[in-house]
Amino acid sequence: MDADTPTDEVLDELFSTIESRKADLPADSYTTTLFTHEKGENYVLEKLGEEMTETILAAKDDDREELLYESSDLVYHLLVLLSMKDASLDDLREELKSRF
């Protein structure tokens, strides 16, 4: 991701990077580790649970900086899971839109 990426495009850029890593599986990538871990999908699910707990604790502690940090980890791991399940950011947008 480029430091010049506009804020409103960050999620799209991140998801694009995740999809690229899923396709290419570069050896030095944490994302590759998530896609190829011996526990498979369960590893990502465990990471999601861990990040959710850390996000909740940061919110409970009224630690805004930590809340944003952990929320970013949570969103990243959620996007990896969506990619694993062949769902896209547009699919997520459509689901959210249907709720209004």
Side-chain angles (χ1 to χ4, degrees):
M1 189 169 331
D2 189 315
D4 295 330
T5 300
T7 304
D8 62 345
E9 295 176 17
V10 168
L11 287 177
D12 293 289
E13 190 71 27
L14 175 58
F15 194 76
S16 176
T17 299
I18 290 168
E19 290 282 273
S20 173
R21 300 278 162 81
K22 180 173 114 176
D24 299 338
L25 299 175
D28 62 342
S29 165
Y30 174 69
T31 305
T32 295
T33 302
L34 295 173
F35 282 110
T36 61
H37 196 276
E38 63 187 15
K39 289 184 177 180
E41 179 184 300
N42 283 345
Y43 186 65
V44 173
L45 297 175
E46 289 171 12
K47 293 301 291 180
L48 269 170
E50 174 187 319
E51 299 305 341
M52 177 56 74
T53 299
E54 291 171 351
T55 300
I56 290 167
L57 292 174
K60 182 183 114 1
D61 292 342
D62 290 324
D63 186 337
R64 185 177 189 277
E65 185 176 321
E66 190 68 11
L67 174 62
L68 292 172
Y69 183 87
E70 296 301 343
S71 294
S72 294
D73 285 348
L74 178 63
V75 168
Y76 163 75
H77 286 91
L78 178 60
L79 293 179
V80 170
L81 179 63
L82 290 175
S83 177
M84 281 182 153
K85 296 296 192 178
D86 295 321
S88 70
L89 213 45
D90 286 338
D91 294 330
L92 182 60
R93 285 186 184 102
E94 285 298 320
E95 177 60 29
L96 289 168
K97 183 179 175 182
S98 74
R99 296 177 182 211
F100 287 96

